C-alpha cells in the first residue's frame, strides 16, 4: 500500500531504523511484488533516460506550433559568457530545465516526473549535481526514490495533474520532489528533507494551469525553470537549518484545497490565465485555423 | 499509483493524455482487431480534436496502430512508417454526445479483412478506457489481462466460462456483462489476475454460441 502521509514514511524510518529512500523502496517491493534489485535497477533506467534525454536536445528545432524551441541553446550561450546573475551552477540548472521542457514539446523522449509537463524539474537539478561529482549514480538513484516517495504521498492526498489541481499540482509537486532529492544528497536529515519539500510546495501554492492553445509549451517550459530554482533555494534553506511552520502533510492538504477551489478555466482547459490573454487567444485562433 | 507512475513513465512528449495515452489507444485497437492494421478511419472528439494536432495525437494513434510503444522515438515520424508498412488512414473531427473530452472513434481493418469499431478515451496519466467495442459497451482499461467474450445471449454461458477459468486456477478480478437486447448479442468483459495461455483462449472460442473471444495481455 502506498503511504498515505509523509508522517507514515518517517515513522517507518524510525521504527525500522532505515533511511527515507529505503522506506520507499521497501514499500515498492511489497506493492509490486518485486525485489530490491529490480526496483533499484528500474529507477536506474529512469535516471539513464533523463540523462539521455538531456543529450538528445537540439537547439535548432521548434515544436509543431513553433511556440517553443531553441531557448535552452540561447541560455547556454549566454551563461557561458560568465556574466549572468545566476552563475555557472544555477545557469546550468536553468539551461537543463528549458531543454527538457522543449524536448517534451518537440515530441522527444522524456521521463514524466511526476508529469510530462513538469519533466524538466528533476533532471535540471540532478544532472548538474551529478556532473560536478556532488553525487555518484547510486546516490542520485536513492535521491530519486526519496523524491518519488514524496510525489506518491502528494498523489494520494491531493493530485499531480494540472487538469485536477492546476500547475501547483504539476510543477509544485515536481519542485517539492526535487527539493527533497537535493536535501538528501547533501546529507540532510529526514526532517530537513520534509522541510525543504514543504517549503517548495508552499511557495508554489495557487499556481494555475493555463497553457496557451492547450499545448504544453507556454507557459509550461519556463515553469520548469521556476520549479527547479525554487527547489534549489528551498533545499539550501533547509540545509541551513531553516524549518517550515506548516508540516509537509498539511501543505499537501492545503494544495488540494486550493486546487479544488480553483476555477476550471485554470485547470488545463486552456481557457484562463495566459491562455485567455489577447495574445493567447490570437495564437489559439491561428493554430486552429491551420487544422 | 506506484512510484514508477510518479517517476516515470519514459515516454515521447508532450502530453501523457494526448500523446502517451493516444499511443495506447492505437495499441489496444491493434490488439482488438488482431494482425496488422491496414486501414483506419479515426474520429477525434473534444480536446483531442481541439489540441490534438499540437500534441501529436494523430501521429501517436497511428504509431500505436503500428505497434509502437509510448516511448518509441519513431512516434513523430509514424506517418512515414505507416506509408512504408501500407497502413492507410484518415482523420476527421467528430461529435460524440456525452463522451469523455479526450475520446477517439476508430474503424480499423486488418490484413485479413477483419473489421473492428471502437470508442476509446484517454483518462490522463497515459491511462485509457475502451468505452465501446463493436457498438457494445465494455468499459475496460486493458491494464490487467482481459478477456472479452462475445456470445449469443442465452443462459449458461457465464457459468461455462467462469468454471473453465476456475479449472485453470485463474482468479477473476472483475467481471461485467453487457448486451444489446434480450436474446441478441452479449458481451462478457473479464479482468483476471494471471496471464492466460493461448490454448485456454482457443478452448473458450470453441464453446458453441461463443461468437468471438478477444484477449488483451495487459
Ligand atoms: S501550465 Fe498546466 S500543462 Fe503547463 S506545466 Fe503547468 S500544469 Fe502542466
Amino acid at each position: 500500500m502506498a503511504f498515505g502521509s509523509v508522517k507514515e514514511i518517517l515513522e517507518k524510518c524510525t521504527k525500522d531504523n532505515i533511511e527515507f529512500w529505503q522506506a520507499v523502496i521497501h514499500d515498492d517491493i511489497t506493492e509490486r511484488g518485486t525485489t530490491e534489485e529490480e526496483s533499484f535497477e528500474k529507477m536506474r533506467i529512469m535516471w539513464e533516460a533523463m540523462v539521455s534525454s538531456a543529450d538528445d536536445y537540439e537547439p535548432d528545432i521548434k515544436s509543431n506550433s513553433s511556440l517553443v524551441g531553441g531557448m535552452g541553446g540561447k541560455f547556454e550561450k549566454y551563461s557561458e559568457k560568465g556574466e549572468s546573475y545566476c552563475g555557472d551552477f544555477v545557469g546550468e540548472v536553468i539551461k537543463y530545465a528549458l531543454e527538457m521542457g522543449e524536448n517534451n514539446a518537440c515530441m522527444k523522449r522524456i521521463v514524466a516526473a511526476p508529469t510530462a509537463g513538469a519533466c524538466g524539474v528533476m533532471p535540471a537539478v540532478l544532472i548538474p549535481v551529478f556532473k560536478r561529482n556532488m553525487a555518484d549514480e547510486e546516490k542520485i538513484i536513492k535521491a530519486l526514490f526519496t523524491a518519488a516517495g514524496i510525489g506518491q504521498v502528494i498523489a494520494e492526498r491531493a493530485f499531480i495533474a494540472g487538469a485536477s489541481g492546476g500547475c501547483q499540482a504539476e510543477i509544485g509537486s515536481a519542485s517539492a520532489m526535487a527539493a527533497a532529492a537535493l536535501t538528501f544528497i547533501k546529507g540532510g536529515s529526514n526532517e530537513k528533507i520534509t522541510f525543504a519539500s514543504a517549503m517548495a510546495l508552499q511557495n508554489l501554492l495557487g499556481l494555475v494551469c493555463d497553457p496557451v492553445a492547450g499545448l504544453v509549451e507556454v507557459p509550461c517550459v519556463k515553469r520548469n525553470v521556476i520549479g527547479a530554482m525554487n527547489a534549489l533555494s528551498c533545499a539550501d534553506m533547509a540545509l541551513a537549518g531553516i524549518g517550515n511552520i506548516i508540516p509537509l502533510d498539511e501543505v499537501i492538504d492545503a494544495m488540494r484545497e486550493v486546487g479544488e477551489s480553483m476555477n476550471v478555466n485554470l485547470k488545463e482547459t486552456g481557457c484562463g490565465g495566459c491562455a485567455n490573454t489577447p495574445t493567447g487567444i490570437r495564437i489559439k485562433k491561428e493554430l486552429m485555423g491551420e487544422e | 499509483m506506484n512510484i514508477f507512475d510518479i517517476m516515470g513513465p519514459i515516454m515521447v512528449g508532450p502530453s501523457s493524455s494526448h500523446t502517451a495515452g493516444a499511443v495506447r489507444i492505437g495499441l489496444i485497437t491493434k490488439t482488438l482487431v488482431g494482425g496488422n492494421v491496414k486501414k483506419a478511419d479515426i474520429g477525434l472528439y473534444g480536446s483531442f480534436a481541439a489540441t490534438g494536432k499540437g500534441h501529436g495525437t494523430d501521429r501517436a494513434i497511428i504509431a500505436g496502430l503500428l505497434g509502437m510503444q509510448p516511448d518509441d522515438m519513431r512516434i513523430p515520424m509514424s506517418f512515414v512508417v505507416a506509408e512504408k508498412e501500407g497502413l492507410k488512414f484518415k482523420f476527421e473531427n467528430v461529435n460524440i454526445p456525452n463522451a469523455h473530452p479526450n475520446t477517439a472513434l476508430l474503424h480499423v481493418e486488418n490484413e485479413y479483412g477483419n473489421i473492428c469499431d471502437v470508442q476509446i478515451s484517454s483518462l490522463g496519466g497515459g491511462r485509457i478506457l475502451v468505452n465501446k467495442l463493436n457498438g457494445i459497451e465494455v468499459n475496460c482499461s486493458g491494464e490487467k489481462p482481459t478477456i472479452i467474450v462475445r456470445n449469443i445471449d442465452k443462459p449458461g454461458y457465464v457459468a461455462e466460462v467462469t468454471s473453465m477459468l476456475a479449472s485453470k486456477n485463474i482468479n477473476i478480478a472483475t467481471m461485467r456483462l453487457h448486451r444489446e437486447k434480450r436474446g441478441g448479442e452479449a458481451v462478457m468483459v473479464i479482468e483476471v489476475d494471471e496471464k492466460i495461455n493461448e490454448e485456454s483462449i482457443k478452448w473458450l472460442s470453441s464453446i458453441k454460441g461463443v461468437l468471438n473471444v478477444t484477449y488483451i495481455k495487459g
Side-chain angles (χ1 to χ4, degrees), chain A residues 114-135:
Chain A
T115 59
C119 71
V121 178
M122 292 295 308
V125 300
L126 292 180
I127 294 175
V129 163
F130 180 69
K131 276 171 60 179
R132 283 169 179 71
N133 295 319
M134 290 152 81

Side-chain angles (χ1 to χ4, degrees), chain A residues 162 165-167 207-210 262-269 272-273:
Chain A
C167 201
L207 192 63
V208 300
C209 173
D210 49 354
M262 222 176 245
N263 189 291
V264 331
N265 287 344
L266 302 169
K267 292 198 259 194
E268 215 179 291
T269 47

Side-chain angles (χ1 to χ4, degrees), chain A residues 9 20 71 89 111 149 164 196 223 233 267-268 281 285:
Chain A
I9 302 184
F20 197 106
M71 291 188 275
F89 179 79
V111 182
S164 320
R223 292 252 167 95
S233 56
K267 292 198 259 194
E268 215 179 291
I281 295 169
K285 277 204 189 116

